[in-house]
Amino acid sequence: MTTESHTTAARERIGRSEEHEGMDEITILWISEGMSCDGDTVSLTAAMQPSIEDVVLGLIPGLPKVNLVNKVLSPSLGGEDFLAPYRAAARGELDTPFILVIEGSVPNQDIIEGDGFWTSFGNDPATGQPQTINWWIDQLAPKAWAVVAAGTCATYGGIHGMAGNPTGSMGLGDYLGWDYKSTAGLPIVNVPGCPIQPENFMETLVWVLQHAAGDAPPPPLDHMLRPQWLFGKTVHEGCDRGSYYEQGDFGLDYNSPKCLVKTGCWGPVVNCNVPKRGWMAGIGGCPNVGGICIGCTMPGFPDAFMPFMDEPPGGALSSLVIKPYGAVVRRLRGVTNEMVNHEPKWRHRKSKLTSGYDPYWRP
Amino acid sequence: MTTTESRPTGRKPAQLVDMSWDPITRIIGNLGIYTKIDFANREVAECHSTSSLFRGYSVFMKGKDPRDAGFITSRICGICGDNHTTCSNYAQQMAYGIKPPPMAEHITNLGEAAEYMFDHTIFQDNLVFVDFCEAMVKATNPTLLARAERTDAPRGEIHGFRTIADIMKAFNPFEGEVYKEALRVSRVTREMFCLMEGRHVHPSTLYPGGVGTMPQPSVFTDYLSRLMHIIDFIKKAVAMNDDVFDFFYEALPGYEEVGRRRILLGCWGAWQDPAVVDYRYASMNEWGKAMYVTPGVIVDGKLVTNNLIDINLNMRIMLGSSYYDDWVNEQPFVTHDPLGNPVDMRHPWNQTTVPVPQKREFDGNYSWVMSPRWYHQETDKHLALDTGGGPLARLWSTALNGLVDTRYVKAVDGKVRIQLPKGESLPETTLEWSIPKWSNTLERDRARPYFVAYAAAMALQFLEESMELVRAGETKVFQDFEVPDEAIGCGFHEAVRGVLSHHLVIKDKKIANYHPYPPTPWNASPRDIYGTPGPYEDAVQGQPIFEENGPDDFKGVDIMRTVRSFDPCLPCGVHMYMGKGKTLDVVHSPTYGASHG
């Protein structure tokens, strides 16, 4: 088997002017060994607009040649051979610039007394012991051309950063610092979602690659470093059950095709485009197909939204005053949106675990 | 120490070489396989399986609202999150004393059927079969490939490939015809999944008490029309897999020993019959047997039990090589089950998970995975059951039980008959899976495409029954409930790669204890307190090596085939450990990197 033809096609760089300041080749070093389920990688393989093969095999015009190194997707070699490009990058010797993609949240290694680790990626050649994810991020983030966080675990801590967790897990922003800048001067590019909506991620990645090629400005990000065009609107604004809300017509249990706010949907205050875009190929989603929005793209996820199956605080009032609809509702939603757009105080790099973890918890 | 009896001897002095695969690509999570290989006798002398990831679901679920359990536990797995949500909802429904409307069961069953079809297809064709593809066989067993080129494929009129080598070529990663078609099919089946459960991986429309999916006729039409366009792909996959695996037995005598274990299979059953299930613990034996995949524990080819109550009570979570403190001195959460049977301290209902990060020592503790075992009262042994990667145990148990008798799937005489309708190019087809002679690598892999066919056939029945309900106006999908102050529950289900259970204890309307046991802890477990190795370790340890390469350019394909036959989680990619850092150019695709450093 050969992939020479694909390589050539990718290198021809059709559709780009000869004069550009961007790069011709870039490597994506994807690490999914954070605290994660690898669901973002799996979700990625569902993307068709564009698909990951389209990008890697050079079907999208104007991109640099892309070398993807991902444990799940890459047909590279395992063990040390698989780790070779990561090791080269950690030494500063990789022969191309690289984008570091992190999947999964970052556990707090500093709360461990003595030896041990929460999660690892290969072994330390000197000791033969597992090499922590923290070590890799510490080595790679300062040398990365860009850092992309894939999924809510990596962006904001997500499920593993939940109250009562024993690992002190947090997102990349809390780990690297929110003022982190890559060698290209970019902040972390956050693509939240539990998991990522496939096309949301691919579209963001393509924009970053177009920027690498010198053909596009950096992707526009909001204050939580999310792509603005994907996360600038709420679930509610794209939901096809929204008109029921505006009519004050609410489902009282999950048998109803009407608005789900009273049964736990956080759509009015959650930044996400899934009901509008669907989950894949326009199919599926959340409230539009009968699932309450549990805020899985948000910095406050999951704690700020639990228990999921109860009406959100503020929802009763905002749905009651829906008739004199307007400024009041928008302001109430603004207040709640502000509240859930912040991470809990226990996600930090201090050497003390403050998540409320109690191993012997009994009611 | 191995569970499986030792293989015949006639041995040369051992020539041992350490070989390790860590991280293993093409899987979810962090799995490492560490072996000692005896090149003089061409067999694996020792194997340790280690996982280097702790996440802590059973810890941070404590104190939470029990209704949130399904939403949270979905996030355990990035490929079969829905299996966890479904299983959690089963456990909650027992605890809340409710039964979802029939339509909700059908929609859940259809979602799970799509999940099985998706996951098994992408795993078998885009991952497992890479170990059997032309490029890999050329690099590991060139004389075998030469023979494959001369061997006509017996089922060529079904799948369209003339020789065995032609099939192997079609599985070459990223270029082979079947490899690419399988990626397409995996997207179509995920669309089918999203029609029922909203989102893949983590579903949005599943609740304890039912679903939120609106049972409009178009939902079922959209699912059916997609299914009918992939039905011939399924028939072809079965034929291709049979041809290749039969060829391996014939061309490499003794290959049945690769990955062979003593027959110790567990299956917890899948797909509820809405007419029978009521989720009560007391009647779990009855509704468990009515599931459309029959639960069972199989020891040495005999069915030990198909009673979910027995299965439940004899679960034991052992330590021995894992990074946790013991909990035997804690207060038990559950002393007796609802029928008054005593519940062991090592049962998931009573487990307390206390992580203790520490160094990895192969003669001490070396894994974040614990060792689930099933206590066999007759022999007083804690059995390291495996799942056969899921389909092997499911088909085996269903065939031995002989209870499934549906429109398209029937279990009779140690066989499972699956009837698939006419598709775009192939006629109506009846497939028949028979209980094999061995629980080994090839049979684990062979069972997988048969189970895809099984899932497709069951989906047809669920679709028909759903439409009957729609036409009768029975479209309720959710049953309301109150969370009790105190309750216990358990859910039994099949994740794609095998047994899945969730155990739940509620106190003061909060989760007091929650322990999910997915298949991978069963399969990937380390040595337990008695020194009994886990199934990966046991299957690899002692297996013969057929690869033609010596220690210097050893790739370990037979070992990787064995580990992957258990479906250790994830699709895609081609990776192999290469002895001494050598790269294998035929597998290495330059556009995918790995040429650095």
Side-chain angles (χ1 to χ4, degrees):
Chain A
M1 65 192 229
T2 167
T3 52
E4 280 305 313
S5 57
H6 297 133
T7 311
T8 308
R11 280 188 170 140
E12 278 171 9
R13 302 168 53 78
I14 298 159
R16 290 212 34 241
S17 82
E18 287 304 309
E19 295 166 34
H20 65 90
E21 297 187 355
M23 58 189 75
D24 295 321
E25 186 171 348
I26 195 162
T27 299
I28 297 175
L29 295 180
W30 186 307
I31 297 182
S32 60
E33 273 74 4
M35 310 296 273
S36 89
C37 65
D38 286 20
D40 301 304
T41 290
V42 175
S43 205
L44 169 85
T45 66
M48 286 296 283
Q49 296 141 9
S51 74
I52 186 72
E53 309 96 275
D54 291 346
V55 169
V56 169
L57 299 177
L59 193 70
I60 307 299
L63 303 187
K65 175 178 181 273
V66 175
N67 307 310
L68 174 68
V69 190
N70 169 300
K71 179 183 74 178
V72 176
L73 297 171
S74 171
S76 64
L77 313 172
E80 279 308 307
D81 290 296
F82 171 69
L83 290 171
Y86 296 91
R87 294 225 193 270
R91 291 192 304 266
E93 293 169 6
L94 193 67
D95 52 13
T96 68
F98 69 93
I99 298 173
L100 177 64
V101 179
I102 296 291
E103 178 173 358
S105 43
V106 190
N108 191 339
Q109 193 63 24
D110 297 337
I111 60 173
I112 296 178
E113 291 175 15
D115 297 320
F117 60 93
W118 295 116
T119 177
S120 72
F121 181 51
N123 293 327
D124 178 343
T127 63
Q129 286 293 316
Q131 189 73 274
T132 65
I133 185 81
N134 309 65
W135 183 89
W136 283 105
I137 294 173
D138 293 347
Q139 297 300 311
L140 296 175
K143 303 179 182 88
W145 182 83
V147 171
V148 177
T152 300
C153 286
T155 55
Y156 309 127
I159 286 281
H160 308 96
M162 182 188 290
N165 78 77
T167 56
S169 289
M170 67 196 95
L172 265 188
D174 287 326
Y175 188 76
L176 292 174
W178 286 91
D179 54 355
Y180 165 87
K181 293 281 187 297
S182 69
T183 62
L186 297 172
I188 301 164
V189 178
N190 279 336
V191 188
C194 186
I196 48 169
Q197 196 274 2
E199 268 87 39
N200 280 355
F201 184 84
M202 284 308 299
E203 202 173 64
T204 306
L205 184 66
V206 167
W207 190 314
V208 172
L209 290 168
Q210 284 164 338
H211 178 55
D215 283 354
L221 307 178
D222 69 12
H223 73 292
M224 293 306 287
L225 306 181
R226 294 168 287 207
Q228 285 175 12
W229 76 97
L230 298 172
F231 296 94
K233 291 195 170 70
T234 62
V235 164
H236 189 61
E237 284 156 352
C239 182
D240 62 12
R241 295 183 183 215
S243 56
Y244 288 102
Y245 184 102
E246 311 313 325
Q247 295 165 33
D249 198 357
F250 301 100
L252 300 179
D253 70 20
Y254 307 98
N255 286 301
S256 173
K258 296 174 182 172
C259 176
L260 292 170
V261 161
K262 287 195 174 298
T263 55
C265 184
W266 284 81
V269 295
V270 165
N271 302 77
C272 180
N273 63 345
V274 162
K276 191 77 178 167
R277 194 167 208 172
W279 191 253
M280 59 181 294
I283 291 166
C286 303
N288 55 317
V289 295
I292 49 174
C293 170
I294 61 170
C296 79
T297 55
M298 298 296 277
F301 178 77
D303 305 272
F305 302 92
M306 291 165 71
F308 297 125
M309 288 170 72
D310 284 344
E311 186 176 15
L317 186 56
S318 61
S319 54
L320 187 72
V321 298
I322 194 63
K323 293 273 159 62
Y325 174 76
V328 179
V329 170
R330 283 199 297 277
R331 194 164 302 134
L332 281 169
R333 286 181 189 164
V335 170
T336 317
N337 178 275
E338 183 67 18
M339 183 180 85
V340 295
N341 248 329
H342 282 104
E343 292 176 75
K345 60 186 182 311
W346 61 79
R347 292 177 192 159
H348 55 70
R349 287 195 71 172
K350 296 172 202 154
S351 57
K352 192 163 189 296
L353 179 67
T354 55
S355 71
Y357 165 58
D358 176 359
Y360 303 104
W361 188 88
R362 301 280 192 283
Chain B
M1 281 302 183
T2 52
T3 313
T4 304
E5 71 270 32
S6 54
R7 278 116 184 158
T9 48
R11 320 179 54 85
K12 301 174 191 159
Q15 178 206 344
L16 291 178
V17 180
D18 277 320
M19 291 271 174
S20 66
W21 291 258
D22 191 358
I24 290 194
T25 50
R26 296 195 251 156
I27 64 158
I28 282 182
N30 313 15
L31 175 70
I33 294 287
Y34 291 76
T35 64
K36 289 191 198 310
I37 295 176
D38 178 353
F39 278 97
N41 294 295
R42 303 209 60 83
E43 66 173 43
V44 183
E46 191 181 292
C47 174
H48 286 87
S49 153
T50 167
S51 170
S52 59
L53 173 68
F54 172 77
R55 294 197 294 151
Y57 280 74
S58 48
V59 179
F60 54 64
M61 300 275 285
K62 287 172 178 252
K64 306 290 157 71
D65 189 314
R67 297 172 300 163
D68 290 345
F71 297 94
I72 298 171
T73 55
S74 169
R75 273 78 187 175
I76 289 173
C77 183
I79 189 154
C80 64
D82 60 299
N83 299 144
H84 282 281
T85 313
T86 301
C87 193
S88 177
N89 290 344
Y90 290 171
Q92 290 179 63
Q93 280 147 200
M94 181 180 287
Y96 308 156
I98 47 161
K99 166 182 162 54
M103 180 57 93
E105 297 290 2
H106 285 311
I107 287 174
T108 305
N109 286 347
L110 282 165
E112 297 303 85
E115 172 66 31
Y116 293 131
M117 286 186 262
F118 149 70
D119 195 338
H120 286 319
T121 297
I122 200 168
F123 182 76
Q124 183 85 343
D125 297 353
N126 300 125
L127 197 162
V128 164
F129 230 100
V130 170
D131 290 336
F132 294 88
C133 78
E134 182 222 16
M136 190 65 76
V137 176
K138 190 193 274 176
T140 53
N141 294 73
T143 57
L144 183 71
L145 183 63
R147 182 166 171 168
E149 280 162 355
R150 297 190 306 267
T151 307
D152 283 343
R155 299 167 183 85
E157 81 282 3
I158 301 171
H159 53 62
F161 296 102
R162 195 178 62 79
T163 66
I164 299 294
D166 288 342
I167 303 176
M168 292 172 166
K169 283 188 192 108
F171 276 97
N172 277 342
F174 296 96
E175 300 190 336
E177 195 183 316
V178 175
Y179 185 96
K180 285 191 285 194
E181 176 70 356
L183 276 178
R184 190 189 69 79
V185 168
S186 85
R187 287 180 177 129
V188 174
T189 42
R190 269 183 283 189
E191 289 169 20
M192 290 158 63
F193 179 91
C194 289
L195 286 165
M196 295 299 146
E197 301 194 14
R199 311 188 320 158
H200 191 275
V201 173
H202 305 313
S204 56
T205 61
L206 298 190
Y207 303 98
V211 300
T213 315
M214 287 300 105
Q216 284 159 343
S218 36
V219 170
F220 303 105
T221 309
D222 289 354
Y223 187 106
L224 174 65
S225 46
R226 282 174 174 79
L227 175 61
M228 292 317 295
H229 282 289
I230 61 164
I231 208 109
D232 284 350
F233 175 86
I234 295 171
K235 296 170 194 163
K236 288 177 188 173
V238 171
M240 278 185 280
N241 280 263
D242 272 341
D243 277 356
V244 172
F245 299 138
D246 289 350
F247 169 76
F248 262 73
Y249 281 133
E250 186 193 306
L252 295 174
Y255 212 84
E256 67 275 7
E257 289 301 309
V258 171
R260 186 175 71 79
R261 292 190 80 209
R262 185 181 163 196
I263 299 163
L264 294 171
L265 294 168
C267 166
W268 295 172
W271 294 309
Q272 306 290 356
D273 181 344
V276 183
V277 67
D278 62 8
Y279 293 99
R280 290 188 313 120
Y281 186 87
S283 53
M284 188 157 68
N285 186 21
E286 286 81 61
W287 54 260
K289 281 182 198 154
M291 290 165 102
Y292 293 115
V293 165
T294 321
V297 172
I298 300 157
V299 176
D300 297 330
K302 292 201 176 59
L303 184 69
V304 170
T305 181
N306 58 8
N307 182 343
L308 281 179
I309 295 171
D310 287 344
I311 287 173
N312 175 44
L313 286 173
N314 290 302
M315 284 178 71
R316 300 284 183 273
I317 309 305
M318 316 287 285
L319 296 172
S321 309
S322 320
Y323 306 140
Y324 300 91
D325 271 349
D326 206 347
W327 61 86
V328 279
N329 296 322
E330 297 301 321
Q331 280 287 103
F333 288 93
V334 179
T335 55
H336 292 84
D337 76 354
L339 293 171
N341 301 303
V343 175
D344 195 87
M345 197 59 199
R346 297 229 155 267
H347 189 274
W349 265 328
N350 284 328
Q351 184 182 339
T352 297
T353 301
V354 186
V356 185
Q358 55 194 277
K359 274 177 115 161
R360 184 176 61 208
E361 309 278 4
F362 284 112
D363 49 2
N365 294 336
Y366 59 90
S367 185
W368 273 120
V369 173
M370 292 191 197
S371 302
R373 299 288 185 259
W374 196 78
Y375 179 60
H376 187 219
Q377 296 192 331
E378 221 172 280
T379 54
D380 189 32
K381 290 271 188 282
H382 292 85
L383 303 177
L385 298 184
D386 72 74
T387 71
L392 185 68
R394 287 203 279 278
L395 290 168
W396 206 308
S397 179
T398 301
L400 264 189
N401 274 290
L403 294 173
V404 171
D405 184 6
T406 69
R407 292 173 203 179
Y408 301 98
V409 178
K410 289 189 200 314
V412 275
D413 306 328
K415 295 178 171 47
V416 176
R417 271 195 209 108
I418 304 154
Q419 196 190 329
L420 294 179
K422 175 177 161 307
E424 284 162 317
S425 59
L426 293 172
E428 184 182 36
T429 304
T430 301
L431 301 167
E432 191 171 271
W433 181 91
S434 305
I435 291 176
K437 277 185 252 177
W438 310 285
S439 173
N440 67 4
T441 295
L442 291 183
E443 296 307 330
R444 279 175 216 118
D445 286 343
R446 186 202 300 271
R448 203 167 286 119
Y450 278 91
F451 196 78
V452 173
Y454 193 124
M458 287 312 306
L460 285 166
Q461 178 184 318
F462 300 141
L463 282 168
E464 289 167 12
E465 291 178 1
S466 298
M467 283 308 293
E468 286 164 22
L469 289 177
V470 168
R471 289 169 188 138
E474 290 178 40
T475 53
K476 197 178 168 209
V477 288
F478 175 76
Q479 174 61 51
D480 211 355
F481 58 87
E482 285 283 323
V483 177
D485 286 342
E486 296 209 351
I488 60 172
C490 56
F492 287 90
H493 187 39
E494 284 280 304
V496 180
R497 44 205 58 75
V499 300
L500 175 62
S501 58
H502 282 215
H503 284 82
L504 160 73
V505 181
I506 298 170
K507 282 189 179 158
D508 299 337
K509 294 188 192 290
K510 293 196 181 331
I511 295 173
N513 208 13
Y514 201 105
H515 278 91
Y517 269 93
T520 300
W522 288 89
N523 293 332
S525 60
R527 282 151 175 79
D528 63 27
I529 191 88
Y530 301 112
T532 308
Y536 292 172
E537 301 181 330
D538 180 46
V540 169
Q541 203 156 279
Q543 83 163 40
I545 299 293
F546 283 83
E547 182 177 336
E548 294 165 26
N549 299 310
D552 289 347
D553 50 2
F554 187 65
K555 292 158 186 70
V557 72
D558 304 301
I559 296 168
M560 288 296 103
R561 280 179 190 144
T562 294
V563 173
R564 294 226 170 78
S565 71
F566 287 98
D567 193 349
C569 275
L570 227 152
C572 284
V574 190
H575 113 283
M576 297 290 295
Y577 170 85
M578 296 297 138
K580 302 202 167 169
K582 288 186 182 171
T583 52
L584 174 60
D585 289 332
V586 285
V587 181
H588 169 209
S589 169
T591 39
Y592 277 77
S595 56
H596 315 280

